[in-house]
Amino acid sequence: MDHFYTDDQKMLRDSVRRFTQDRIMPAAAAIDRDDVFPRALYKEMADLGLFGVSLAPEAGGAGLDTVTTCIVMEEIARASGALGNAYAIPVEAAHFLHQHGTETQKMWIPALLSGDAIPATAATEPDCGSDVAAMRTVALRDGDDYVISGTKAWVTFGRIADFIMIFAKTDKDAGHRGISCILVEADHKGISRGKSEELLGMHGLEDCQISFDQVRVPVANRIGPENQAFKMAMENFNFSRLMMSSMALGMAQGAMEDAVAYAKSRRQFGSEIIKFQAIQFMLADMSKDIAAARLLIHHAAKLYDAGFPIAKEAAHAKLFTTDMAMQHVSNALQIHGGNGYSKEYRIERIFRDVRLSQIYEGTNQIQRMIIARQLEKELA
């Protein structure tokens, strides 16, 4: 792919790779073991300017393209899926605020980019995930205020966030056409945060449940028009799915590198196991599918920057990349044999971390529905 990257992209990729090798890789196992937010590494990513790579210059970003952000994500996730996940949160929040926020709300962006303010987005609920229209959290109008009541689940950074962008029903009877997005400072009266969730993987991200008990905030805190947040969220998903695809791609790349290194050093039956055709075929399929995934992601990213609708292309990238990553990370673990089942080897952590990618930002079953519906429209 080097031949297709610009000089700026190659320079940034190499800089991020040095950072991940020097700072993230040595810390990744401890982050996974201790399950504590790596605030220092988060701040270092911010100090490198990584959170604003593709954000417009007028918003304080570097103004590079979305492909470049995908490259950065791949490099970070190659070292740690959890840090890749952490990278996505401020990147997506800054884009969302820049696109939909008021001038007052956009004042959060500099602190986001510097790592001094940590955002969270609260949409999923204990009884509703993919079915966003079924959410029960409400924000009822009372004069110049909204009064928010409800519970949100699986809020990444929920325990440590400085502000929360919460999706709630402002019209209880309108389904997805009655949802608004409201910015709330996390220390606001009436907000209570649950304990950090104990998850299979992706440790250190302080996921939790958040309850809102008659939380009163000004109507001016609403992001975008009233009752239009579902559409805003769906548009934002196109960008976030490119982030999640690149995160899975990075983990698959790291798994393949580990599998090749292990296969070259491990001897069985008098030979390095990389000489065995069964191993070669698994590695060849990894290489093929990783290359194909990267092309799908970058194709969708280019269309996104050109202003084209990419619901189908983003779903293609997310579906293909995360499914192939799960398959090939599993195969990389198989190549490690019994050692792959040990925490002494990185592949065990990658195997646990990558599983979330098939669920996050719309399950892969939802991606198939999106693709089918787009085909129905296009081929009518």
Side-chain angles (χ1 to χ4, degrees):
M1 287 293 293
D2 266 17
H3 301 297
F4 299 99
Y5 290 167
T6 66
D7 289 342
D8 285 343
Q9 287 170 338
K10 286 186 280 191
M11 189 181 306
L12 182 58
R13 181 205 56 192
D14 292 345
S15 175
V16 175
R17 183 168 293 183
R18 286 192 297 271
F19 168 71
T20 61
Q21 290 175 334
D22 292 344
R23 300 290 296 129
I24 295 180
M25 283 187 179
I31 293 167
D32 180 64
R33 181 185 64 245
D34 299 337
D35 200 4
V36 175
F37 175 59
R39 192 175 292 269
L41 283 175
Y42 183 86
K43 188 65 167 66
E44 287 182 48
M45 289 195 292
D47 291 343
L48 287 172
L50 300 184
F51 296 162
V53 166
S54 59
L55 194 65
E58 62 267 25
L64 301 177
D65 60 10
T66 303
V67 170
T68 307
T69 296
C70 292
I71 292 169
V72 172
M73 169 61 94
E74 180 184 342
E75 289 299 322
I76 295 171
R78 172 178 165 268
S80 166
L83 264 293
N85 201 336
Y87 171 67
I89 306 300
V91 171
E92 292 173 18
H95 275 267
F96 191 78
L97 284 175
H98 177 59
Q99 186 174 3
H100 300 292
T102 65
E103 292 306 311
T104 299
Q105 292 160 359
K106 290 177 183 178
M107 291 173 66
W108 280 101
I109 293 177
L112 276 179
L113 299 185
S114 68
D116 294 320
I118 294 178
T121 299
T124 299
E125 298 186 357
D127 296 321
C128 109
S130 298
D131 186 7
V132 178
M135 70 171 56
R136 298 178 181 177
T137 300
V138 295
L140 302 180
R141 189 75 173 259
D142 183 17
D144 292 330
D145 293 336
Y146 287 118
V147 180
I148 306 171
S149 296
T151 300
K152 296 296 183 179
W154 311 115
V155 182
T156 306
F157 287 175
R159 295 268 316 158
I160 56 173
D162 295 296
F163 70 91
I164 305 163
M165 294 183 290
I166 178 173
F167 289 79
K169 290 277 187 72
T170 40
D171 184 341
K172 294 189 294 184
D173 302 318
H176 70 272
R177 294 183 177 86
I179 298 172
S180 298
C181 182
I182 301 167
L183 190 153
V184 185
E185 294 190 31
D187 60 358
H188 205 289
K189 181 182 178 182
I191 294 178
S192 57
R193 316 190 207 199
K195 65 177 181 65
S196 288
E197 301 285 357
E198 296 183 23
L199 304 178
L200 173 70
M202 290 292 179
H203 294 162
L205 299 182
E206 304 289 357
D207 260 79
C208 74
Q209 187 167 288
I210 300 181
S211 296
F212 299 82
D213 182 12
Q214 299 289 300
V215 176
R216 182 177 289 270
V217 297
V219 169
N221 282 35
R222 189 186 67 236
I223 302 173
E226 190 170 68
N227 300 328
Q228 295 297 310
F230 180 83
K231 181 180 179 181
M232 290 157 51
M234 292 304 104
E235 292 172 352
N236 191 62
F237 269 138
N238 291 331
F239 180 80
S240 62
R241 284 168 184 155
L242 297 181
M243 293 294 95
M244 290 306 101
S245 302
S246 301
M247 182 182 76
L249 176 64
M251 287 187 277
Q253 178 70 33
M256 181 177 70
E257 292 170 4
D258 283 6
V260 170
Y262 187 85
K264 290 168 69 175
S265 65
R266 178 68 166 172
R267 293 183 63 86
Q268 293 285 280
F269 307 105
S271 174
E272 298 88 355
I273 64 172
I274 200 167
K275 303 295 186 184
F276 301 148
Q277 190 177 72
I279 302 297
Q280 291 174 340
F281 281 9
M282 280 195 281
L283 294 174
D285 284 343
M286 286 181 204
S287 177
K288 162 183 66 74
D289 288 348
I290 287 170
R294 191 174 286 117
L295 289 170
L296 274 175
I297 293 167
H298 292 186
H299 170 66
K302 287 179 180 293
L303 291 176
Y304 178 81
D305 284 338
F308 292 102
I310 63 160
K312 184 179 71 175
E313 288 76 13
H316 281 164
K318 202 269 185 184
L319 173 61
F320 180 83
T321 306
T322 58
D323 276 355
M324 82 84 189
M326 191 67 226
Q327 175 191 349
H328 291 313
V329 169
S330 180
N331 284 344
L333 190 151
Q334 189 75 13
I335 289 170
H336 281 73
N339 284 329
Y341 208 62
S342 166
K343 290 184 181 292
E344 293 297 316
Y345 287 80
R346 180 172 73 142
I347 190 63
E348 182 270 346
R349 168 168 49 84
I350 299 175
F351 182 77
R352 287 183 289 106
D353 283 350
V354 79
R355 185 61 181 85
L356 179 64
S357 68
Q358 293 175 300
I359 302 170
Y360 217 29
E361 303 290 13
T363 67
N364 281 9
Q365 287 69 35
I366 292 292
Q367 304 311 309
R368 288 177 169 87
M369 290 172 62
I370 291 169
I371 293 166
R373 287 171 181 171
Q374 291 297 315
L375 287 174
E376 184 180 6
K377 292 177 184 177
E378 293 171 4
L379 302 178

